[in-house]
Coordinates of all heavy atoms in Angstrom, one line a residue:
M1 N 9.7 -36.9 9.5 CA 8.6 -35.9 9.5 C 9.2 -34.6 8.9 O 10.3 -34.2 9.2 CB 8.2 -35.7 10.9 CG 7.1 -34.7 11.0 SD 6.6 -34.1 12.7 CE 6.0 -35.6 13.5
T2 N 8.4 -34.0 8.1 CA 8.9 -32.7 7.4 C 8.0 -31.6 8.0 O 6.8 -31.6 8.0 CB 8.7 -32.8 5.9 OG1 9.4 -33.9 5.4 CG2 9.2 -31.5 5.2
Y3 N 8.7 -30.5 8.4 CA 8.0 -29.3 8.8 C 8.1 -28.3 7.8 O 9.2 -28.0 7.2 CB 8.7 -28.8 10.1 CG 8.4 -29.6 11.3 CD1 9.4 -30.5 11.7 CD2 7.3 -29.5 12.0 CE1 9.2 -31.3 12.9 CE2 7.0 -30.3 13.1 CZ 8.0 -31.2 13.5 OH 7.8 -32.0 14.6
T4 N 7.0 -27.7 7.5 CA 7.0 -26.5 6.5 C 6.4 -25.3 7.2 O 5.4 -25.5 8.0 CB 6.2 -26.8 5.3 OG1 4.9 -27.1 5.6 CG2 6.8 -28.0 4.5
T5 N 7.0 -24.2 7.1 CA 6.5 -23.0 7.6 C 6.1 -22.1 6.5 O 6.8 -22.0 5.5 CB 7.5 -22.3 8.6 OG1 8.7 -22.0 7.8 CG2 7.9 -23.2 9.8
Q6 N 5.0 -21.5 6.6 CA 4.5 -20.6 5.6 C 4.5 -19.2 6.3 O 3.8 -19.0 7.3 CB 3.1 -21.0 5.1 CG 2.7 -20.1 4.0 CD 1.3 -20.5 3.5 OE1 0.7 -21.5 4.0 NE2 0.8 -19.9 2.5
T7 N 5.2 -18.3 5.7 CA 5.3 -16.9 6.3 C 3.9 -16.2 6.1 O 3.4 -16.3 5.0 CB 6.4 -16.1 5.6 OG1 7.6 -16.8 5.8 CG2 6.5 -14.7 6.2
I8 N 3.4 -15.6 7.1 CA 2.2 -14.8 7.0 C 2.7 -13.3 6.8 O 3.6 -12.8 7.4 CB 1.4 -14.9 8.3 CG1 1.0 -16.4 8.5 CG2 0.1 -14.0 8.2 CD1 0.2 -17.0 7.4
Y9 N 2.0 -12.7 5.8 CA 2.4 -11.3 5.5 C 1.2 -10.4 5.8 O 0.1 -10.9 5.9 CB 2.7 -11.2 4.0 CG 4.0 -11.9 3.6 CD1 3.9 -13.2 3.1 CD2 5.2 -11.3 3.6 CE1 5.1 -13.9 2.8 CE2 6.3 -11.9 3.3 CZ 6.3 -13.2 2.8 OH 7.5 -13.9 2.5
R10 N 1.5 -9.1 5.9 CA 0.4 -8.1 5.9 C 0.7 -7.1 4.8 O 1.8 -6.9 4.4 CB 0.4 -7.5 7.3 CG 1.6 -6.6 7.6 CD 1.5 -5.9 9.0 NE 1.9 -6.9 10.0 CZ 1.2 -7.0 11.1 NH1 0.3 -6.2 11.4 NH2 1.6 -7.9 12.0
V11 N -0.4 -6.6 4.3 CA -0.3 -5.5 3.3 C 0.0 -4.2 4.1 O -0.7 -3.9 5.1 CB -1.5 -5.4 2.5 CG1 -1.4 -4.2 1.5 CG2 -1.8 -6.7 1.7
V12 N 1.0 -3.5 3.6 CA 1.3 -2.2 4.3 C 1.3 -1.1 3.2 O 1.4 -1.4 2.0 CB 2.7 -2.2 4.9 CG1 2.8 -3.1 6.1 CG2 3.8 -2.6 3.9
I13 N 1.0 0.1 3.6 CA 0.9 1.2 2.7 C 1.7 2.4 3.3 O 1.8 2.6 4.5 CB -0.6 1.6 2.5 CG1 -0.7 2.7 1.4 CG2 -1.2 2.0 3.8 CD1 -2.1 3.0 0.9
S14 N 2.5 3.1 2.4 CA 3.3 4.2 2.8 C 2.5 5.5 2.9 O 1.4 5.6 2.4 CB 4.5 4.3 1.9 OG 4.1 4.9 0.6
N15 N 3.2 6.5 3.4 CA 2.6 7.8 3.5 C 2.3 8.4 2.1 O 1.6 9.3 1.9 CB 3.5 8.8 4.2 CG 3.6 8.4 5.7 OD1 2.8 7.7 6.2 ND2 4.7 8.8 6.3
E16 N 3.0 7.8 1.1 CA 2.9 8.2 -0.3 C 1.8 7.4 -1.1 O 1.7 7.4 -2.3 CB 4.2 8.2 -1.0 CG 5.1 9.4 -0.8 CD 4.5 10.6 -1.5 OE1 3.9 10.5 -2.6 OE2 4.7 11.7 -0.9
G17 N 1.1 6.5 -0.4 CA 0.1 5.7 -1.0 C 0.7 4.5 -1.8 O 0.0 3.9 -2.6
R18 N 1.9 4.1 -1.5 CA 2.5 2.9 -2.2 C 2.3 1.7 -1.3 O 2.4 1.7 -0.1 CB 4.0 3.2 -2.4 CG 4.2 4.5 -3.1 CD 5.5 4.7 -3.6 NE 5.3 4.8 -5.0 CZ 6.3 4.6 -5.9 NH1 7.5 4.3 -5.6 NH2 6.0 4.8 -7.2
Y19 N 2.0 0.6 -2.0 CA 1.7 -0.7 -1.3 C 2.9 -1.6 -1.3 O 3.7 -1.6 -2.2 CB 0.5 -1.4 -2.0 CG -0.8 -0.7 -1.7 CD1 -1.2 0.4 -2.4 CD2 -1.6 -1.2 -0.7 CE1 -2.5 1.0 -2.2 CE2 -2.9 -0.6 -0.4 CZ -3.3 0.4 -1.2 OH -4.5 1.0 -0.9
S20 N 3.0 -2.5 -0.3 CA 4.0 -3.5 -0.2 C 3.4 -4.6 0.7 O 2.4 -4.5 1.3 CB 5.3 -3.0 0.3 OG 6.3 -4.0 0.2
I21 N 4.2 -5.7 0.8 CA 3.9 -6.8 1.8 C 5.0 -6.8 2.7 O 6.2 -6.5 2.4 CB 3.6 -8.1 1.1 CG1 4.8 -8.7 0.4 CG2 2.4 -8.1 0.2 CD1 4.6 -10.1 -0.2
W22 N 4.7 -7.2 4.0 CA 5.7 -7.2 5.0 C 5.4 -8.4 5.9 O 4.3 -8.7 6.3 CB 5.6 -5.9 5.8 CG 6.8 -5.6 6.7 CD1 6.9 -5.8 8.0 CD2 8.1 -5.2 6.2 NE1 8.2 -5.5 8.4 CE2 8.9 -5.1 7.3 CE3 8.7 -4.9 5.0 CZ2 10.3 -4.7 7.3 CZ3 10.0 -4.6 4.9 CH2 10.8 -4.5 6.0
P23 N 6.5 -9.2 6.3 CA 6.3 -10.3 7.1 C 5.6 -9.9 8.5 O 6.0 -8.9 9.1 CB 7.7 -10.9 7.4 CG 8.5 -10.4 6.3 CD 7.9 -9.0 5.9
E24 N 4.6 -10.7 8.9 CA 3.8 -10.3 10.1 C 4.7 -10.3 11.3 O 4.4 -9.5 12.2 CB 2.7 -11.3 10.2 CG 1.7 -10.9 11.3 CD 0.5 -11.8 11.4 OE1 0.8 -13.0 11.4 OE2 -0.6 -11.3 11.6
Y25 N 5.7 -11.1 11.4 CA 6.5 -11.2 12.6 C 7.5 -10.0 12.7 O 8.1 -9.8 13.8 CB 7.3 -12.5 12.6 CG 8.3 -12.7 11.5 CD1 9.6 -12.3 11.7 CD2 8.0 -13.3 10.4 CE1 10.6 -12.4 10.7 CE2 8.9 -13.5 9.3 CZ 10.2 -13.1 9.5 OH 11.1 -13.2 8.5
K26 N 7.7 -9.2 11.7 CA 8.6 -8.1 11.7 C 7.9 -6.8 12.1 O 6.7 -6.6 11.7 CB 9.3 -7.9 10.4 CG 10.4 -8.9 10.1 CD 11.1 -8.5 8.9 CE 12.3 -9.5 8.7 NZ 13.1 -9.0 7.5
E27 N 8.6 -5.9 12.7 CA 8.0 -4.5 13.0 C 7.9 -3.8 11.7 O 8.8 -3.8 10.9 CB 8.9 -3.8 14.0 CG 8.4 -2.5 14.4 CD 9.3 -1.8 15.4 OE1 10.1 -2.5 16.1 OE2 9.2 -0.6 15.5
I28 N 6.8 -3.1 11.5 CA 6.6 -2.3 10.3 C 7.5 -1.1 10.3 O 7.5 -0.4 11.3 CB 5.1 -1.9 10.2 CG1 4.2 -3.1 10.1 CG2 4.9 -1.0 9.0 CD1 2.7 -2.8 10.2
P29 N 8.2 -0.8 9.2 CA 9.1 0.3 9.2 C 8.4 1.7 9.3 O 7.3 1.8 9.0 CB 9.8 0.2 7.8 CG 9.4 -1.1 7.2 CD 8.2 -1.6 8.0
W30 N 9.2 2.6 9.8 CA 8.7 4.0 9.8 C 8.2 4.5 8.5 O 8.9 4.2 7.5 CB 9.9 4.9 10.3 CG 9.4 6.3 10.5 CD1 8.9 6.9 11.6 CD2 9.5 7.4 9.6 NE1 8.6 8.2 11.4 CE2 9.0 8.5 10.1 CE3 10.0 7.4 8.3 CZ2 9.0 9.7 9.5 CZ3 10.0 8.6 7.6 CH2 9.4 9.8 8.2
G31 N 7.1 5.2 8.4 CA 6.6 5.7 7.2 C 5.6 4.8 6.5 O 5.0 5.1 5.5
W32 N 5.4 3.6 7.1 CA 4.5 2.6 6.6 C 3.5 2.3 7.7 O 3.8 2.4 8.9 CB 5.2 1.4 6.2 CG 6.1 1.6 5.0 CD1 7.4 2.1 5.0 CD2 5.8 1.3 3.6 NE1 7.9 2.2 3.7 CE2 7.0 1.6 2.9 CE3 4.7 0.7 3.0 CZ2 7.0 1.5 1.5 CZ3 4.8 0.5 1.6 CH2 6.0 0.9 0.9
Q33 N 2.3 1.8 7.3 CA 1.3 1.3 8.3 C 0.5 0.2 7.7 O 0.4 0.0 6.5 CB 0.4 2.5 8.7 CG -0.5 3.0 7.6 CD -1.3 4.2 8.1 OE1 -1.2 4.6 9.2 NE2 -2.2 4.7 7.2
A34 N 0.0 -0.7 8.6 CA -0.8 -1.8 8.2 C -2.0 -1.4 7.5 O -2.7 -0.5 8.0 CB -1.1 -2.7 9.4
E35 N -2.3 -2.0 6.4 CA -3.5 -1.6 5.6 C -4.7 -2.4 6.1 O -5.9 -2.0 5.9 CB -3.2 -1.9 4.1 CG -4.3 -1.6 3.1 CD -5.1 -2.8 2.8 OE1 -4.8 -3.9 3.3 OE2 -6.0 -2.7 2.0
G36 N -4.5 -3.6 6.6 CA -5.6 -4.5 7.1 C -5.6 -5.9 6.6 O -6.2 -6.8 7.2
T37 N -5.1 -6.1 5.4 CA -5.1 -7.4 4.8 C -3.9 -8.2 5.3 O -2.8 -7.8 5.3 CB -5.0 -7.3 3.3 OG1 -6.1 -6.5 2.8 CG2 -5.1 -8.7 2.6
V38 N -4.2 -9.5 5.8 CA -3.2 -10.4 6.3 C -3.4 -11.7 5.6 O -4.6 -12.2 5.5 CB -3.3 -10.5 7.8 CG1 -2.3 -11.5 8.3 CG2 -3.0 -9.1 8.5
G39 N -2.4 -12.4 5.2 CA -2.5 -13.7 4.6 C -1.2 -14.2 4.1 O -0.1 -13.6 4.3
D40 N -1.2 -15.3 3.3 CA 0.0 -15.7 2.6 C 0.4 -14.7 1.5 O -0.3 -13.8 1.2 CB -0.1 -17.1 2.1 CG -1.1 -17.3 1.0 OD1 -1.4 -16.4 0.3 OD2 -1.6 -18.5 0.8
R41 N 1.6 -14.9 1.0 CA 2.1 -14.0 0.0 C 1.2 -13.7 -1.2 O 0.9 -12.6 -1.6 CB 3.5 -14.5 -0.5 CG 4.2 -13.6 -1.4 CD 5.6 -14.2 -1.8 NE 6.4 -13.3 -2.5 CZ 6.4 -13.2 -3.8 NH1 5.6 -13.9 -4.6 NH2 7.2 -12.3 -4.4
Q42 N 0.6 -14.8 -1.7 CA -0.3 -14.7 -2.9 C -1.5 -13.9 -2.6 O -2.0 -13.1 -3.4 CB -0.6 -16.1 -3.4 CG -1.3 -16.1 -4.8 CD -0.5 -15.5 -5.9 OE1 0.8 -15.6 -5.9 NE2 -1.1 -14.7 -6.8
V43 N -2.1 -14.1 -1.4 CA -3.4 -13.4 -1.1 C -3.1 -11.9 -1.0 O -3.8 -11.1 -1.5 CB -3.9 -13.9 0.3 CG1 -4.9 -13.0 0.9 CG2 -4.5 -15.3 0.1
C44 N -2.0 -11.6 -0.3 CA -1.6 -10.2 -0.2 C -1.3 -9.5 -1.6 O -1.8 -8.4 -1.8 CB -0.4 -10.0 0.7 SG -0.8 -10.4 2.5
L45 N -0.6 -10.2 -2.4 CA -0.2 -9.6 -3.7 C -1.5 -9.5 -4.6 O -1.6 -8.5 -5.3 CB 0.8 -10.5 -4.4 CG 2.2 -10.5 -3.8 CD1 3.1 -11.5 -4.5 CD2 2.8 -9.1 -3.8
E46 N -2.4 -10.4 -4.5 CA -3.7 -10.3 -5.3 C -4.5 -9.1 -4.8 O -5.1 -8.4 -5.6 CB -4.5 -11.6 -5.2 CG -3.9 -12.7 -6.0 CD -4.6 -14.1 -5.7 OE1 -5.6 -14.1 -5.0 OE2 -4.1 -15.1 -6.4
H47 N -4.5 -8.9 -3.5 CA -5.2 -7.7 -2.9 C -4.6 -6.4 -3.4 O -5.3 -5.5 -3.9 CB -5.2 -7.8 -1.4 CG -5.8 -6.6 -0.8 ND1 -7.2 -6.3 -0.8 CD2 -5.2 -5.5 -0.2 CE1 -7.4 -5.2 -0.2 NE2 -6.2 -4.6 0.2
I48 N -3.3 -6.4 -3.4 CA -2.6 -5.1 -3.9 C -2.9 -4.9 -5.4 O -3.2 -3.8 -5.8 CB -1.1 -5.2 -3.6 CG1 -0.8 -5.1 -2.2 CG2 -0.3 -4.1 -4.4 CD1 0.7 -5.4 -1.8
A49 N -2.9 -6.0 -6.2 CA -3.2 -5.8 -7.6 C -4.6 -5.2 -7.8 O -4.8 -4.5 -8.8 CB -3.1 -7.2 -8.3
K50 N -5.6 -5.5 -6.9 CA -6.9 -5.0 -7.0 C -7.0 -3.5 -6.6 O -7.8 -2.8 -7.2 CB -7.9 -5.8 -6.2 CG -8.2 -7.2 -6.7 CD -9.1 -7.9 -5.8 CE -9.1 -9.4 -6.1 NZ -9.9 -10.2 -5.1
V51 N -6.3 -3.2 -5.5 CA -6.5 -1.8 -5.0 C -5.5 -0.8 -5.4 O -5.8 0.4 -5.4 CB -6.6 -1.9 -3.4 CG1 -7.7 -2.7 -2.9 CG2 -5.2 -2.3 -2.8
W52 N -4.4 -1.2 -5.9 CA -3.3 -0.2 -6.3 C -3.4 0.0 -7.8 O -2.6 -0.6 -8.5 CB -2.0 -0.7 -5.8 CG -0.9 0.4 -5.8 CD1 -1.1 1.7 -5.9 CD2 0.5 0.2 -5.7 NE1 0.1 2.4 -5.9 CE2 1.1 1.4 -5.8 CE3 1.3 -1.0 -5.6 CZ2 2.5 1.6 -5.7 CZ3 2.7 -0.8 -5.6 CH2 3.3 0.5 -5.6
T53 N -4.3 0.9 -8.2 CA -4.5 1.0 -9.6 C -3.7 2.2 -10.2 O -3.6 2.3 -11.5 CB -6.0 1.2 -9.9 OG1 -6.4 2.4 -9.2 CG2 -6.8 0.0 -9.5
D54 N -3.2 3.1 -9.4 CA -2.4 4.2 -9.9 C -1.0 4.1 -9.2 O -0.9 4.4 -8.0 CB -3.1 5.5 -9.6 CG -2.4 6.7 -10.3 OD1 -1.3 6.6 -10.7 OD2 -3.1 7.8 -10.4
M55 N 0.0 3.8 -9.9 CA 1.3 3.6 -9.3 C 2.1 4.9 -9.0 O 3.1 4.9 -8.3 CB 2.2 2.8 -10.3 CG 1.7 1.4 -10.6 SD 1.7 0.4 -9.2 CE 0.6 -0.9 -9.7
R56 N 1.5 6.0 -9.4 CA 2.2 7.3 -9.0 C 2.1 7.6 -7.5 O 1.1 7.3 -6.9 CB 1.5 8.5 -9.8 CG 1.6 8.4 -11.3 CD 0.9 9.5 -11.9 NE -0.6 9.3 -11.6 CZ -1.5 10.3 -11.8 NH1 -1.1 11.5 -12.3 NH2 -2.7 10.1 -11.4
P57 N 3.2 8.1 -6.9 CA 3.1 8.5 -5.5 C 2.0 9.5 -5.3 O 1.7 10.3 -6.2 CB 4.5 9.1 -5.3 CG 5.4 8.7 -6.4 CD 4.5 8.4 -7.5
L58 N 1.4 9.5 -4.1 CA 0.3 10.4 -3.8 C 0.7 11.9 -4.1 O -0.1 12.6 -4.6 CB -0.1 10.2 -2.4 CG -1.5 10.8 -1.9 CD1 -2.6 10.3 -2.8 CD2 -1.7 10.4 -0.5
S59 N 1.9 12.2 -3.7 CA 2.3 13.6 -3.9 C 2.3 14.0 -5.4 O 2.0 15.1 -5.8 CB 3.7 13.9 -3.3 OG 4.7 13.0 -3.9
L60 N 2.7 13.1 -6.3 CA 2.7 13.4 -7.7 C 1.3 13.5 -8.2 O 0.9 14.3 -9.0 CB 3.4 12.3 -8.5 CG 3.5 12.4 -10.0 CD1 4.1 13.8 -10.4 CD2 4.2 11.3 -10.6
Q61 N 0.4 12.6 -7.8 CA -1.0 12.7 -8.2 C -1.6 14.0 -7.8 O -2.3 14.6 -8.6 CB -1.8 11.6 -7.5 CG -1.5 10.2 -7.9 CD -2.2 9.1 -7.1 OE1 -3.4 9.3 -6.9 NE2 -1.6 8.0 -6.8
T62 N -1.3 14.5 -6.6 CA -1.8 15.7 -6.1 C -1.2 16.9 -6.9 O -1.9 17.8 -7.3 CB -1.5 15.9 -4.6 OG1 -2.1 14.8 -3.9 CG2 -2.1 17.2 -4.1
A63 N 0.1 16.8 -7.1 CA 0.8 17.9 -7.9 C 0.3 18.0 -9.3 O 0.2 19.1 -9.9 CB 2.3 17.7 -7.9
M64 N -0.1 16.9 -9.9 CA -0.5 16.9 -11.3 C -2.0 17.5 -11.4 O -2.4 17.9 -12.4 CB -0.5 15.5 -11.9 CG 1.0 15.0 -12.1 SD 1.1 13.4 -12.8 CE 0.6 13.8 -14.5
G65 N -2.7 17.4 -10.2 CA -4.0 18.0 -10.2 C -5.0 17.5 -11.1 O -5.8 18.2 -11.6
D66 N -4.9 16.2 -11.4 CA -5.8 15.6 -12.4 C -7.0 15.1 -11.8 O -7.9 14.5 -12.5 CB -5.1 14.5 -13.2 CG -4.6 13.4 -12.4 OD1 -4.9 13.3 -11.2 OD2 -3.9 12.5 -12.9
G67 N -7.2 15.2 -10.5 CA -8.4 14.8 -9.8 C -8.6 13.3 -9.7 O -9.6 12.8 -9.2
S68 N -7.5 12.5 -10.0 CA -7.6 11.1 -9.9 C -6.8 10.6 -8.7 O -6.5 9.4 -8.7 CB -7.2 10.4 -11.2 OG -5.8 10.6 -11.4
A69 N -6.4 11.4 -7.8 CA -5.6 11.0 -6.7 C -6.4 9.9 -5.9 O -7.5 10.1 -5.6 CB -5.3 12.2 -5.8
A70 N -5.7 8.9 -5.6 CA -6.3 7.8 -4.9 C -6.3 8.1 -3.4 O -5.8 9.1 -3.0 CB -5.4 6.5 -5.0
T71 N -7.1 7.3 -2.7 CA -7.2 7.6 -1.3 C -5.8 7.3 -0.6 O -5.1 6.4 -1.0 CB -8.2 6.7 -0.6 OG1 -8.0 5.4 -0.9 CG2 -9.6 7.1 -1.0
G72 N -5.4 8.1 0.3 CA -4.2 7.9 1.0 C -4.3 6.9 2.1 O -5.3 6.3 2.3
P73 N -3.2 6.7 2.9 CA -3.2 5.7 3.9 C -4.3 5.9 5.0 O -4.8 5.0 5.6 CB -1.8 5.9 4.5 CG -1.0 6.7 3.6 CD -2.0 7.4 2.7
S74 N -4.7 7.2 5.2 CA -5.7 7.5 6.2 C -7.1 7.3 5.7 O -8.1 7.4 6.4 CB -5.5 8.9 6.8 OG -5.8 9.8 5.7
G75 N -7.2 7.0 4.4 CA -8.5 6.8 3.8 C -9.1 8.1 3.2 O -10.1 8.1 2.6
A76 N -8.4 9.2 3.4 CA -8.9 10.5 3.0 C -8.5 10.7 1.5 O -7.4 10.3 1.1 CB -8.4 11.6 3.8
T77 N -9.3 11.3 0.8 CA -9.0 11.6 -0.6 C -8.3 13.0 -0.7 O -8.5 13.8 0.1 CB -10.2 11.6 -1.6 OG1 -11.1 12.5 -1.1 CG2 -10.8 10.2 -1.7
S78 N -7.5 13.1 -1.7 CA -6.8 14.4 -1.9 C -7.9 15.4 -2.4 O -8.8 15.1 -3.1 CB -5.8 14.3 -3.0 OG -4.8 13.4 -2.6
P79 N -7.8 16.7 -2.0 CA -8.8 17.6 -2.4 C -8.7 17.9 -3.9 O -7.6 17.8 -4.4 CB -8.4 18.9 -1.6 CG -7.0 18.7 -1.1 CD -6.8 17.2 -1.1
A80 N -9.8 18.2 -4.5 CA -9.8 18.5 -5.9 C -9.1 19.8 -6.1 O -9.2 20.7 -5.3 CB -11.3 18.6 -6.4
P81 N -8.4 20.0 -7.2 CA -7.7 21.2 -7.4 C -8.7 22.4 -7.7 O -9.7 22.2 -8.3 CB -6.8 21.0 -8.7 CG -7.5 19.8 -9.3 CD -8.2 19.0 -8.2
S82 N -8.4 23.5 -7.1 CA -9.2 24.7 -7.4 C -8.8 25.3 -8.7 O -7.7 25.3 -9.1 CB -9.1 25.7 -6.2 OG -7.8 26.1 -6.1
S83 N -9.8 25.8 -9.4 CA -9.5 26.4 -10.7 C -10.0 27.9 -10.6 O -11.0 28.2 -10.1 CB -10.2 25.7 -11.8 OG -11.6 25.7 -11.7
T84 N -9.2 28.7 -11.2 CA -9.6 30.1 -11.3 C -9.5 30.5 -12.8 O -8.7 30.0 -13.5 CB -8.6 31.0 -10.5 OG1 -7.3 30.8 -10.9 CG2 -8.7 30.7 -9.0
S85 N -10.4 31.4 -13.2 CA -10.3 31.8 -14.5 C -10.3 33.3 -14.6 O -10.9 34.0 -13.8 CB -11.6 31.3 -15.3 OG -12.7 31.8 -14.7
A86 N -9.5 33.8 -15.5 CA -9.4 35.2 -15.7 C -10.6 35.7 -16.5 O -10.9 35.1 -17.5 CB -8.1 35.6 -16.3
V87 N -11.2 36.8 -16.2 CA -12.3 37.3 -16.9 C -11.9 38.5 -17.7 O -11.1 39.3 -17.4 CB -13.5 37.7 -16.0 CG1 -14.7 38.2 -16.8 CG2 -13.9 36.5 -15.2

């Protein structure tokens, strides 16, 4: 009889909006939180490929002020940069 075990993973997201997969049986490291997707490795990686469209860290997206900052781990979007013009 052959036993095979398949590791179950969860998708995790960092405070900087970066995605990764983490084995379900391990404690999630500080600075990361569960995103909600759980499954085998392929399912998790396919999900990340769909949702992580901007590889820049959230702080860089915000600093660049291009208005395309992705939603952060809490689901909140970065505020749009304010613009001022000299008259």
Side-chain angles (χ1 to χ4, degrees):
M1 183 189 296
T2 304
Y3 289 99
T4 60
T5 59
Q6 183 176 5
T7 302
I8 302 298
Y9 293 92
R10 69 179 77 222
V11 175
V12 293
I13 186 168
S14 74
N15 295 337
E16 278 290 328
R18 307 194 119 198
Y19 286 83
S20 188
I21 61 173
W22 197 255
E24 189 178 43
Y25 65 88
K26 288 188 173 185
E27 185 177 337
I28 297 172
W30 182 86
W32 294 80
Q33 63 185 5
E35 178 265 2
T37 303
V38 176
D40 66 22
R41 184 176 188 273
Q42 191 61 37
V43 166
C44 291
L45 291 176
E46 287 173 2
H47 175 73
I48 290 172
K50 288 178 193 171
V51 299
W52 195 16
T53 57
D54 189 340
M55 299 296 164
R56 297 175 298 165
L58 194 56
S59 59
L60 178 59
Q61 293 176 40
T62 303
M64 292 180 73
D66 62 6
S68 67
T71 55
S74 64
T77 55
S78 298
S82 60
S83 61
T84 56
S85 58
V87 180

